[in-house]
C-alpha cells in the first residue's frame, strides 16, 4: 500500500525536529505553520520566506494535498461531509451551527472495532486508523467550504479515538496550537467507550481537553449487552478510574447516555445511574436515540426522557438533554458510516 505522508501530520514540535534533521533551521516550523494554518496556502510554491532547496526537499517527502470531498449534505444548520481518503476509503464529518459557534464532529478511524450494538458507525469493523493529517484536514476543508472558522471540535465521529491514541494526541497539538488552527483546549472534546489504560494516559496529557465517556447503561449486565468493551473494562474498574481521572485533572467529565426504549430508560435505570455517578464531578448528557433501518432499537419517547431527566435532577445530578441535529441526513449521533455505498 502507498504510504502517503502529509505536511499536515506534523505538530510544531515534530516539524522543528524535522527541519533540524534535514540540516535546516528550527524556526522554519513556525513560518511553515503560518503558511499552512494562517495563510492556508494550497501549494508549496506560494511559500516565499523559506529557501527553495528546503521547500523542494519537503515537497519531495510530504504532500500538501487536501482530502477529496465527495459529497456534502445540508439540512438547515447541519452539514454532513463525505471524504475520500488516499486509499479509496471513506469517512464522514459533521458540522453543526450552534448559538455559541460552529462545532465539528470528526472521525478518527475507518470503521470501528468496539461493536456497540446501537451504533451504525461500528457496523463496519476497523479497516485502519486515520493518520493525524486526515483528522486535521477534516477541519481545514470544512472551514474552507463554509468560509468561516470552526470554534469547537468533538472527536465523536466514526471510530474509537483512544484506539488511535498517538495520532489523536498529535491532532490535538496541531488544532490547539495558537500558531496552528488555534482552537482552545476547553473547546475540544474527545469521547471514548472506556478504554482504561488510555484514560490513564490521557489524564497525564498536559492539555485541558474535555473527556466524554459513552456510558449508556447503569450496570454491568446491561452494559455488557450493549457495549462489548465492558467485558474488558467493566464498570467496577471504569468508575474508579474515572474518579481518579477527575481527582488528578480537576476536570469535569461528561457521561453520554443514549436513551433506548425499554432497554435503559426505565425509572429503576435512572435510580441506578444516580448511584453509579454519585460523587463524581460530571454531567450526564441524555441523547434521544436516532433509529436506523439496520438496528432494531427504538427511541424513548419524550415523556419518558423527561421522567428520566427529572429523577437525575431531583438527585442533584447535572443533566442535559442533547439538542437533536441532523437526523434527516443521517448525520446524528451514531449514524455516521465509513462506506460510501451505504451513505
Ligand atoms: S459508539 Fe463509538 S466506539 Fe462504539 S461502535 Fe460506535 S464509533 Fe465505535
Amino acid at each position: 500500500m502507498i504510504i502517503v505522508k502529509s505536511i499536515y501530520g506534523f505538530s510544531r514540535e515534530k516539524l522543528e525536529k524535522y527541519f533540524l534533521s534535514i540540516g535546516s533551521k528550527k524556526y522554519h516550523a513556525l513560518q511553515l505553520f503560518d503558511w499552512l494554518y494562517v495563510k492556508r496556502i494550497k501549494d508549496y510554491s506560494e511559500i516565499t520566506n523559506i529557501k527553495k532547496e528546503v521547500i523542494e526537499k519537503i515537497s519531495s517527502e510530504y504532500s500538501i494535498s487536501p482530502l477529496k470531498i465527495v459529497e456534502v449534505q445540508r439540512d438547515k444548520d447541519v452539514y454532513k461531509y463525505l471524504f475520500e481518503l488516499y486509499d479509496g476509503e471513506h469517512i464522514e464529518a459533521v458540522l453543526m451551527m450552534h448559538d455559541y459557534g460552529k462545532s465539528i464532529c470528526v472521525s478518527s478511524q475507518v470503521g470501528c472495532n468496539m461493536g456497540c450494538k446501537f451504533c451504525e458507525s461500528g457496523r463496519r469493523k476497523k479497516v485502519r486508523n486515520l493518520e493525524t493529517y486526515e483528522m486535521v484536514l477534516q477541519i481545514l476543508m470544512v472551514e474552507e467550504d463554509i468560509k468561516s472558522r470552526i470554534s469547537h471540535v468533538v472527536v465523536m465521529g466514526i471510530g474509537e479515538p483512544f484506539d488511535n491514541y498517538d495520532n489523536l494526541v498529535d491532532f490535538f497539538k496541531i488544532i490547539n496550537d495558537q500558531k496552528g488552527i488555534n482552537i482552545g483546549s476547553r473547546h475540544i472534546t474527545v469521547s471514548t467507550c472506556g478504554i482504561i489504560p488510555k484514560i490513564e494516559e490521557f489524564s497525564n496529557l498536559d492539555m485541558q481537553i474535555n473527556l466524554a465517556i459513552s456510558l449508556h447503561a447503569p450496570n454491568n449486565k446491561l452494559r455488557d449487552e450493549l457495549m462489548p468493551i465492558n467485558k474488558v473494562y467493566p464498570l467496577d474498574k471504569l468508575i474508579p478510574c474515572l474518579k481518579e481521572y477527575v481527582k488528578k485533572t480537576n476536570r469535569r467529565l461528561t457521561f453520554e447516555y443514549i436513551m433506548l426504549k425499554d432497554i435503559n430508560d426505565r425509572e429503576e435505570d435512572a435510580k441506578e445511574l444516580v448511584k453509579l455517578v454519585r460523587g463524581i464531578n460530571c454531567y450526564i448528557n441524555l441523547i434521544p436515540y436516532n433509529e436506523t433501518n439496520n438496528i432494531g432499537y427504538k427511541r424513548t419517547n419524550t415523556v419518558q426522557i423527561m421522567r428520566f431527566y427529572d429523577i437525575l435532577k431531583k438527585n442533584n445530578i447535572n443533566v442535559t438533554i442533547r439538542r437533536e441535529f441532523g437526523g434527516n441526513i443521517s448525520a446524528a449521533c451514531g449514524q455516521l458510516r465509513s462506506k460510501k455505498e451505504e451513505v
Side-chain angles (χ1 to χ4, degrees):
M1 188 190 290
I2 324 157
I3 301 295
V4 176
K5 294 192 284 182
S6 165
I7 198 67
Y8 296 104
F10 278 110
S11 63
R12 190 143 53 99
E13 202 185 336
K14 286 193 175 167
L15 200 52
E16 284 174 353
K17 285 191 184 136
Y18 170 74
F19 276 112
L20 290 175
S21 77
I22 60 167
S24 187
K25 306 282 186 251
K26 192 173 154 183
Y27 64 78
H28 286 330
L30 185 57
Q31 292 171 318
L32 189 50
F33 254 51
D34 186 61
W35 288 106
L36 295 175
Y37 299 113
V38 179
K39 300 193 176 75
R40 304 277 169 111
I41 57 165
K42 300 281 182 305
D43 196 284
Y44 284 117
S45 62
E46 296 174 56
I47 297 175
T48 53
N49 57 357
I50 302 176
K51 278 192 197 145
K52 215 172 147 213
E53 311 86 83
V54 177
I55 294 300
E56 273 167 10
K57 168 82 179 146
I58 303 173
S59 61
S60 69
E61 293 182 2
Y62 295 96
S63 152
I64 196 171
S65 306
L67 299 181
K68 190 169 158 197
I69 295 183
V70 181
E71 188 179 33
V72 187
Q73 288 177 267
R74 297 172 210 264
D75 178 26
K76 296 182 206 122
D77 42 10
V78 182
Y79 299 176
K80 182 167 76 164
Y81 292 81
L82 178 69
F83 295 100
E84 186 170 300
L85 308 177
Y86 72 89
D87 52 0
E89 293 293 346
H90 294 86
I91 48 151
E92 293 181 325
V94 178
L95 175 78
M96 291 153 284
M97 319 287 185
H98 294 280
D99 307 336
Y100 55 78
K102 297 182 180 71
S103 168
I104 186 171
C105 174
V106 300
S107 294
S108 57
Q109 296 180 316
V110 178
C112 179
N113 274 347
M114 300 301 140
C116 304
K117 295 287 184 297
F118 46 81
C119 175
E120 191 66 51
S121 312
R123 285 180 65 235
R124 188 174 180 214
K125 285 267 168 226
K126 176 172 120 178
V127 176
R128 67 172 174 88
N129 285 329
L130 290 193
E131 300 293 335
T132 299
Y133 80 88
E134 291 171 319
M135 292 188 261
V136 170
L137 280 171
Q138 291 174 56
I139 299 179
L140 293 183
M141 301 207 52
V142 170
E143 287 193 337
E144 187 182 328
D145 181 61
I146 60 172
K147 299 190 176 34
S148 164
R149 295 301 307 271
I150 286 167
S151 57
H152 291 68
V153 174
V154 295
V155 191
M156 293 187 189
I158 302 159
E160 163 52 56
F162 280 1
D163 187 33
N164 185 13
Y165 191 78
D166 293 345
N167 289 345
L168 180 78
V169 170
D170 278 345
F171 166 70
F172 288 152
K173 288 184 180 162
I174 296 165
I175 66 171
N176 180 234
D177 193 326
Q178 288 184 343
K179 305 291 181 186
I181 300 183
N182 193 17
I183 294 173
S185 54
R186 287 170 193 277
H187 288 187
I188 304 170
T189 302
V190 60
S191 171
T192 176
C193 63
I195 300 179
I196 290 178
K198 293 300 169 190
I199 296 172
E200 289 167 351
E201 212 173 323
F202 183 68
S203 72
N204 292 322
L205 186 70
D206 192 17
M207 297 176 93
Q208 295 289 310
I209 289 168
N210 305 304
L211 180 64
I213 302 293
S214 297
L215 188 63
H216 310 312
N219 58 55
N220 276 326
K221 187 167 177 289
L222 182 55
R223 200 162 188 266
D224 277 352
E225 279 167 34
L226 296 176
M227 304 176 71
I229 192 71
N230 197 65
K231 293 185 181 139
V232 186
Y233 302 117
L235 287 175
D236 37 303
K237 295 213 169 73
L238 179 61
I239 296 294
C241 161
L242 295 173
K243 285 184 177 162
E244 194 51 39
Y245 167 86
V246 171
K247 200 167 135 199
K248 194 164 175 182
T249 61
N250 215 9
R251 289 179 225 152
R252 187 159 75 160
L253 270 181
T254 302
F255 285 111
E256 309 282 356
Y257 195 98
I258 286 184
M259 301 290 293
L260 304 168
K261 184 172 161 47
D262 298 333
I263 301 285
N264 65 355
D265 64 348
R266 300 158 309 164
E267 290 187 22
E268 55 263 43
D269 296 320
K271 287 177 188 157
E272 208 172 355
L273 186 56
V274 169
K275 281 194 198 138
L276 188 72
V277 304
R278 170 101 57 219
I280 303 178
N281 181 14
C282 69
Y283 78 89
I284 294 181
N285 195 7
L286 299 178
I287 307 171
Y289 183 59
N290 299 297
E291 294 176 13
T292 78
N293 293 335
N294 304 309
I295 300 173
Y297 294 118
K298 296 283 170 230
R299 179 194 186 85
T300 300
N301 67 44
T302 311
V303 174
Q304 186 57 24
I305 293 180
M306 285 317 298
R307 233 177 250 152
F308 201 95
Y309 173 93
D310 284 342
I311 293 172
L312 298 180
K313 252 307 192 245
K314 272 189 202 123
N315 282 280
N316 299 318
I317 304 291
N318 299 310
V319 54
T320 51
I321 299 173
R322 181 177 291 177
R323 187 183 150 201
E324 294 189 64
F325 271 106
N328 293 340
I329 52 172
S330 298
C333 216
Q335 289 186 319
L336 301 189
R337 297 176 187 179
S338 61
K339 232 173 153 191
K340 182 169 179 277
E341 49 275 27
E342 285 184 351
V343 174

